[in-house]
């Protein structure tokens, strides 16, 4: 008995079923790749998800067309749809992942660094970067641009810990520059600055400690940078010696040999001031030296009647052989 059905119809039905199964499989793989790519942040899986999604949609379109039209036209339409969808899903991601040229990303462009140029930065955020050239020029770089400090190669240029000020130290004076761009500029339109005599020892916020020497006498002063005209305090700091004690003997700042345990017995008795150091509030200066005059050591008290003499302590020499 001969069958009446068309064998081409069965083949086209099998092709449609195969295309539908391929579409489901490809779309499932696309979903898995997209899920894993988003979780592990892998660009390769995201690209694979776009390609598989396009292929799955093309296979689904081929299954939906079924037996309509010629076979070649159906394949061309499904392949074009799959390619267009894959390009839409992958090309924008590829373009966004490209790293633009460094010249387009840079906030500031400076000359290349030479061999002896130095770069100093601070760990605090939004602080400038100091580039010190071998010629002495100092450049301050931030997000708004670059600013320069004219300095000699032997000068010292440093940033404060919070990055709000820069210190320019020369052989005679110290210039403290304010790096806040909202502050008004200096006389020549440059960085606002304050000039102080001496070399800085410490800088913390608005407080700075300076050391200024003239001949053999040095002075330590503390200044408030918001009002630097009058020092907050001032102390003498000798260069060679610690100073003169009340008995008139100069004491070296760094003795050549450390004192021994019996050196105190061979030195004459020295007096100490009996009261607090003399202060002069108008200049806010504390004197660390005692006032001139007779010794302030109180005289020994004589024993009064009826009182027993003060006990004495003697040390006997050890017997021979011990």
């Amino acid at each position: 008995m001969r069958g009446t059905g068309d064998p081409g119809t069965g083949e086209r039905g099998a092709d449609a079923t195969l295309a539908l199964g391929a579409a489901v499989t490809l779309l499932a793989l696309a979903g898995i790749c997209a899920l894993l790519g988003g979780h592990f942040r892998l660009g390769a899986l995201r690209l694979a998800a776009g390609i598989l999604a396009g292929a799955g949609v093309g296979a689904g379109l081929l299954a939906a067309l079924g037996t309509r039209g010629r076979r070649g036209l159906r394949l061309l339409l499904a392949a074009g749809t799959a390619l267009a969808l894959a390009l839409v899903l992958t090309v924008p991601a590829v373009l966004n992942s490209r790293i633009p040229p460094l010249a387009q990303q840079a906030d500031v462009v400076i000359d290349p660094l030479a061999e002896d140029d130095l770069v100093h930065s601070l760990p605090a955020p939004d602080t400038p970067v100091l580039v010190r050239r071998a010629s002495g020029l100092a450049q301050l770089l931030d997000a708004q641009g670059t600013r320069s400090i004219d300095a000699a190669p032997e000068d010292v240029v440093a940033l404060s810990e919070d990055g709000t000020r820069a210190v320019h130290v020369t052989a005679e004076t110290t210039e403290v520059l304010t790096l806040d761009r909202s502050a008004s500029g200096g006389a020549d339109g440059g960085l606002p600055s304050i000039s102080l005599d001496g070399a800085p020892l410490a800088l913390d916020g608005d407080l700075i400690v300076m050391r200024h020497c003239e001949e053999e006498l040095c002075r330590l002063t503390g200044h408030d940078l918001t009002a630097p005209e009058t020092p907050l305090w001032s102390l003498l700091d000798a260069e060679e010696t610690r100073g003169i004690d009340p008995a008139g003997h100069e004491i070296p700042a760094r003795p050549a040999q450390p004192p021994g345990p019996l050196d105190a017995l061979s030195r004459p008795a020295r007096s100490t001031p009996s009261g607090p150091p003399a202060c002069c509030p108008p200049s806010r200066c504390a004197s660390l030296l005692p006032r001139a005059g007779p010794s302030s050591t109180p005289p020994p008290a004589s024993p009064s009647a009826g009182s027993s003499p003060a006990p004495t302590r003697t040390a006997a020499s050890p017997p021979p052989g011990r």
Side-chain angles (χ1 to χ4, degrees):
M1 189 174 190
R2 186 177 297 176
T4 58
D6 188 3
T9 304
E11 293 178 359
R12 288 193 291 269
D15 292 342
T17 303
L18 182 61
L20 181 60
V24 173
T25 303
L26 291 173
L27 290 177
L29 291 176
I32 294 174
C33 290
L35 181 62
L36 294 178
H39 180 71
F40 294 106
R41 299 189 178 277
L42 295 177
L45 290 178
R46 294 179 181 180
L47 294 179
I51 296 174
L52 291 173
V57 171
L61 180 61
L62 185 62
L65 292 176
T67 59
R68 300 186 185 95
R70 290 181 299 177
R71 180 181 178 86
L73 183 61
R74 293 198 308 270
L75 291 176
L76 182 61
L77 181 60
T81 303
L83 180 60
L85 182 60
L87 292 177
V88 170
L89 294 178
T90 56
V91 171
V94 172
L95 295 178
N96 292 333
S97 62
R98 291 182 58 191
I99 300 177
L102 184 60
Q104 299 179 5
Q105 285 186 316
D107 296 329
V108 180
V109 178
I110 60 175
D111 295 334
L113 297 177
E115 182 178 358
D116 296 331
D117 295 345
L118 300 176
V119 179
H120 304 276
S121 61
L122 299 172
D126 300 330
T127 54
V129 176
L130 174 62
V131 178
R132 187 70 189 276
R133 302 289 182 173
S135 61
L137 177 67
Q139 293 178 302
L140 297 168
L141 313 179
D142 55 16
Q144 285 73 33
T146 176
R147 293 173 288 180
S148 300
I149 300 175
D150 295 329
E154 63 273 10
D155 294 348
V156 177
V157 180
L159 295 173
S160 62
E161 187 177 3
D162 54 4
T164 58
R165 287 185 172 89
V167 180
H168 178 200
V169 184
T170 63
E172 298 178 354
T173 61
T174 295
E175 188 178 14
V176 183
L177 302 102
T178 302
L179 303 183
D180 186 5
R181 288 186 175 268
S182 61
S184 59
D188 56 351
L191 298 173
S193 61
I194 298 172
S195 295
L196 299 171
D197 294 333
L201 297 182
L203 174 60
D204 184 13
D206 294 332
L207 301 178
I208 187 171
V209 179
M210 304 293 298
R211 187 172 191 262
H212 179 59
C213 296
E214 293 180 356
E215 296 179 354
E216 294 185 357
L217 181 64
C218 295
R219 185 180 298 274
L220 302 179
T221 55
H223 295 268
D224 184 358
L225 294 177
T226 59
E229 295 81 8
T230 303
L232 298 177
W233 50 265
S234 179
L235 296 175
L236 294 179
D237 181 26
E239 231 177 357
E240 296 288 334
T241 61
R242 193 183 69 187
I244 300 177
D245 72 347
H249 299 277
E250 289 191 356
I251 302 175
R254 295 178 179 86
Q257 183 177 0
L262 299 180
D263 288 349
L265 299 179
S266 60
R267 295 180 181 178
R270 296 182 174 92
S271 59
T272 56
S274 58
C279 298
C280 41
S283 62
R284 298 183 180 180
C285 170
S287 172
L288 299 183
L289 302 179
R291 299 177 179 177
S295 173
S296 58
T297 304
S302 58
S304 59
S307 61
S308 59
T312 58
R313 182 176 298 174
T314 60
S317 57
R322 295 188 64 182

